[in-house]
Amino acid sequence: MKRKCETQSELKTYRSLKIQAENRREQKEKGVIGLFPQLRKSTKYNELKFKQMDRALKHCLDQDEYSIIEKKYLSQEKIKDLEIMIELGLKRDKFYQVKRQAIYNIATALGII
């Protein structure tokens, strides 16, 4: 259960890491350095973390798994599991089986388990 929570926590930071990577790329292209103050020197760490999370999301999930993860953790909207079940046309047991497998696949790809 702890691994599931760790994986879900990492998924929740993915959006922020993605935006940070895009902002840094844009700053570099414009030749602007230090636009915002940095409290921690974690740029390379965060870039690598984003890149590996992005790779895991794109390459280790099937379509249903990705849809569930995207809607539940990567969307700006808070959406309930029931809404996702209805939208994807999945029964409760199947939904939780697919969701559990998606989290397991991501955790495995990221080396959490």
Side-chain angles (χ1 to χ4, degrees), residues 9-24:
S9 176
E10 293 297 333
L11 284 168
K12 290 177 182 178
T13 64
Y14 174 81
R15 283 195 335 245
S16 297
L17 292 171
K18 181 178 181 181
I19 296 300
Q20 184 184 72
E22 290 171 1
N23 287 345
R24 292 215 185 282

Side-chain angles (χ1 to χ4, degrees), residues 18-31 47 50:
K18 181 178 181 181
I19 296 300
Q20 184 184 72
E22 290 171 1
N23 287 345
R24 292 215 185 282
R25 192 172 21 254
E26 183 178 47
Q27 290 171 22
K28 188 176 180 181
E29 288 171 2
K30 302 290 183 188
E47 286 176 1
F50 164 70

